[in-house]
DNA sequence: GCGGAATGTGGTATCGATGCCACATTTCCG
DNA sequence: CGGAAATGTGGCATCGATACCACATTCCGC
């Protein structure tokens, strides 16, 4: 309807007459104290004698009182809802991340508002606006655009970026140790005698891809190998595309091992290798960054780097909560979650 | 601290002085109208001339106004946040379900508050209370206990149960067509000549397991086979347990095919078969209910029943929203999402 | 040209909990 | 034993948006 801007938001519809829920007033009457006292007895850091506190709690329980967060949030200008903005819940990486975040938030008494942005800048920005409207005190985001964290911070919302860092970011950030992980993975292959290793990768603008690429290079340098730039196969973030790119890589170059930069690309690479009936790891080795469950179910199981995704999520939540509680110095924080090489059957000595 | 009941909830901490956000008042001043008019112009179904509406919108955009949902919700006694209560985000089934729900909710202007209950009744109940506190108009839940939907409904919250139905449930529900799916899957095996088919299953109290078991039986009956009750192998919802159960099943009985009742059990079954170096499907066929990505990546790919989990999630959301908007008759609704047999390489003719 | 219906806008009370301050009691100590 | 400090409670205003009603205009038809 509106030409642009202020999109017409869903307006709460005229629902049926809701059940009347007990209020602080009701509890006060029931317990024979004032509403203020009820509030203090139940929640606030304020004073309340143990006796009164117990009486109020009993009364609240008796009549089934449940605090209204909307009223609470409005008055106290805070909220226990935290926004979580990720690309795609169906990707196990994001699901694990969200699971870790949720676990930590919940045990601290916070709630998670989860939004998929499908990796789309416009949706991401719209989600940010929604979270602003909800007056969340903090947001955890796997950013697509720098604008999103920017807008949030400009409005006083704490932001933790997860998994990746955009240039000129001012937010706290939790990253995997991509460089070390990729280096170890590459060195593992080099130690097996591989010298012509293909790298299947989709992006190198974000810290994630950039780090993995850097680790790949570093491993070569440390072992006096030069990286053949033609073996770095750029593709898009999509299994089918990765498959085609792998095909091309195999057609044009004689690599003895392939590293896929993430779990999505690995699907494509594996599919292509199987399709060619290549014996893994006898004829070619395959390894992937970002361990997800299927990688240990296929035959042979894939050698991978486990980036402790759930723990990464927990870290994000802990960091954000600490920030919200004002426990941190203003200085921007960067947390690095270690990555761990898991050697399985898909990597073996270089042929011949 | 408190002996029991009214758990001490996290209280919003004294955060740093938040940024002052523009209010309706500010927009009103900027646009030269009254606050009431601003409200109507931006949101409410009320009247506002196009001219004023445009002017107000422009003003709002100019000063960066974002509605405060807490205030809005408090006053209007509604909310656009929907609770989603599931067991385990790391299980692709739940992740897909949540993804479907989120997609539908978001496109309708609602938000998703996601809570993992880890399949634990206590956590489930606590989550329900949190959602009550948030005054969500509706909740989608994969119920563990009947008490949870009960409590919510008693407080006037609309509930849609997803994936399973507890006895004596009064809520709307969205189910997969477990019976048909399991019947088709079983019939597929029977058509291939299998007569001794093992069923690996964890629960049959919920409609989910019960339906799959019923379908399994029905296929036998329809084909004049009797079900050997010993081939129904009960296990717990855990891959390792399923593996042991599979081992026992193979040791004690000579089955020519195994059906796993869900994606988790399938992992255990597959692991055991691989461990025994059994040729699939030459020596034994394996099939699973609930198609998840890894099943098409393993070799041979698994024959499965795809229960359209994402679509199931969408259905839940659509049903709940319709209910909230009062578009439905009071009668309890039950939606059945069709299941689809996907034949892949893991099932073949019965040996000999 | 006038009564009365449409139409659009402003004013005010209110949603429910909490921040803040005042004040009634106790407690404590010289 | 008096007065100051400590302690615990109640009262009242307030967070920001919206529901609801009153009212000023404009628009009709007869």
């Amino acid at each position: 309807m509106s030409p642009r801007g202020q999109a017409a938001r869903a307006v709460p519809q005229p629902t049926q007459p809701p059940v009347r829920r007990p209020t602080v007033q009701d509890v006060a009457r029931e317990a024979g104290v004032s509403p203020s006292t009820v509030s203090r007895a139940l929640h606030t850091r304020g004073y309340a004698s143990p006796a009164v506190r117990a009486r109020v709690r009993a009364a609240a329980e008796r009549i089934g009182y449940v605090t209204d967060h909307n009223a609470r949030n409005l008055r106290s200008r805070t909220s226990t809802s935290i926004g979580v903005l990720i690309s795609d819940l169906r990707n196990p990486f994001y699901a694990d991340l969200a699971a870790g975040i949720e676990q930590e938030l919940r045990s601290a008494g916070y709630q998670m508002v989860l939004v998929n942005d499908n990796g789309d800048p416009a949706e991401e920005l719209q989600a940010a606006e929604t979270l602003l409207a909800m007056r969340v005190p903090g947001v955890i985001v796997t950013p697509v655009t720098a604008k999103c964290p920017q807008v949030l911070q400009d409005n006083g919302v704490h932001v933790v970026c997860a998994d990746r860092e955009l240039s000129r970011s001012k937010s706290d950030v939790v990253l995997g140790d991509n460089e070390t992980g990729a280096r170890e993975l590459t060195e593992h292959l080099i130690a097996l005698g591989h010298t012509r290793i293909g790298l299947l990768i989709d992006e190198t603008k974000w810290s994630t891809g950039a780090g993995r690429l850097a680790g790949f290079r570093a491993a070569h340098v440390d072992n006096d190998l030069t990286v053949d730039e033609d073996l770095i196969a750029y593709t898009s973030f999509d299994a089918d595309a990765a498959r085609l790119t792998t095909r091309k890589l195999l057609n044009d170059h004689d690599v003895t091992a392939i590293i896929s930069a993430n779990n999505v690309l690995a699907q494509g690479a594996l599919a292509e290798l199987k399709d060619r009936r290549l014996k893994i790891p006898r004829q070619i080795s395959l390894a992937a960054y970002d361990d997800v469950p299927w990688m240990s179910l296929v035959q042979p199981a894939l050698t991978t780097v486990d980036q402790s995704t759930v723990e990464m999520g927990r870290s994000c939540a802990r960091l954000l909560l600490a920030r919200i509680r004002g426990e941190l110095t203003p200085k921007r924080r960067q947390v690095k979650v270690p990555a761990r090489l898991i050697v399985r059957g898909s990597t073996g000595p270089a042929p011949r």
Side-chain angles (χ1 to χ4, degrees), chain A:
Chain A
M1 288 303 151
S2 64
R4 44 156 273 101
Q6 285 285 339
R9 286 300 147 68
V11 174
Q13 295 298 318
T15 60
Q16 38 265 75
V19 176
R20 211 272 187 179
R21 310 270 255 287
T23 73
V24 162
Q25 301 278 353
D26 300 317
V27 178
R29 199 173 313 120
E30 178 81 12
V33 294
S34 78
S36 313
T37 303
V38 170
S39 175
R40 266 169 316 194
L42 290 180
H43 308 288
T44 301
R45 284 222 172 301
Y47 311 94
S49 68
V52 168
R53 194 168 289 242
R55 194 147 43 92
V56 170
R57 288 223 169 121
E61 179 127 0
R62 205 176 318 130
I63 66 176
Y65 169 76
V66 178
T67 306
D68 185 324
H69 277 171
N70 291 313
R72 194 236 260 327
N73 294 344
L74 174 60
R75 179 62 240 237
S76 64
R77 301 153 155 291
T78 45
S79 160
T80 53
S81 291
I82 298 293
V84 174
L85 207 44
I86 61 178
S87 292
D88 174 22
L89 204 46
R90 302 188 63 191
N91 180 330
F93 170 76
Y94 291 109
D96 283 2
L97 189 72
I101 293 170
E102 196 273 344
Q103 182 190 334
E104 197 74 27
L105 289 183
R106 181 158 41 84
S107 76
Y110 284 73
Q111 294 82 46
M112 173 172 82
V113 177
L114 186 64
V115 187
N116 267 342
D117 59 31
N118 302 313
D120 174 13
E123 299 197 42
E124 184 188 39
L125 207 57
Q126 162 143 353
E129 193 163 324
T130 302
L131 294 171
L132 283 179
M134 296 180 76
R135 298 298 189 266
V136 299
V139 170
I140 296 171
V141 56
T142 53
V144 177
T145 295
K147 183 155 190 196
C148 169
Q150 187 63 56
V151 167
L152 290 167
Q153 289 185 308
D154 288 349
N155 283 279
V157 176
H158 296 289
V159 175
V160 169
C161 291
D163 175 56
R164 51 199 185 232
E165 187 166 31
L166 302 184
S167 49
R168 78 207 170 79
S169 164
K170 306 284 288 179
S171 339
D172 291 328
V173 61
V174 175
L175 302 172
D177 192 347
N178 295 298
E179 180 154 356
T180 305
R183 180 151 45 70
E184 289 182 358
L185 183 56
T186 309
E187 277 174 348
H188 160 69
L189 288 170
I190 294 175
L192 286 168
H194 296 273
T195 56
R196 297 189 57 75
I197 307 171
L199 176 65
L200 193 60
I201 192 164
D202 58 330
E203 59 79 26
T204 53
K205 284 178 311 191
W206 295 341
S207 62
T208 312
R212 291 173 196 177
L213 177 56
F216 177 78
R217 288 188 194 281
H220 283 76
V221 170
D222 289 356
N223 288 275
D224 301 318
L225 291 173
T226 37
V227 174
D228 181 345
E229 297 294 331
D230 290 344
L231 301 189
I232 300 176
Y234 291 92
T235 186
S236 54
F237 186 65
D238 169 272
D240 287 330
R243 181 171 185 165
L244 295 180
T245 308
T246 305
R247 182 173 302 168
K248 195 155 181 314
L249 179 67
L250 292 173
N251 286 343
D252 300 352
H253 305 280
D254 62 326
V255 296
T256 60
I258 292 180
I259 293 176
S260 134
N262 61 53
N263 78 63
V264 172
L265 306 186
Q267 283 184 40
L270 178 62
E272 180 62 19
L273 298 191
K274 293 257 172 168
D275 197 51
R276 294 191 173 219
R277 304 248 185 290
L278 288 171
K279 298 291 178 211
I280 307 173
R282 194 132 37 88
Q283 296 174 286
I284 191 165
S285 287
L286 178 63
Y289 207 99
D290 188 15
D291 187 46
V292 297
W294 67 260
M295 294 181 179
S296 47
L297 293 170
V298 297
Q299 200 92 13
L302 257 55
T303 292
T304 59
V305 175
D306 169 20
Q307 39 176 354
S308 318
T309 314
V310 175
E311 177 54 30
M312 196 185 286
R314 286 197 214 98
S315 286
C316 290
R318 279 195 296 268
L319 179 55
L320 182 61
L321 293 180
R323 184 62 83 187
I324 288 172
R325 293 173 180 139
E327 298 167 359
L328 268 36
T329 58
K331 187 163 154 288
R332 174 164 169 273
R333 284 289 195 106
Q334 172 172 328
V335 173
K336 216 156 223 174
V337 179
R340 194 169 52 95
L341 176 66
I342 300 181
V343 176
R344 301 202 185 94
S346 70
T347 49
R352 215 159 10 140

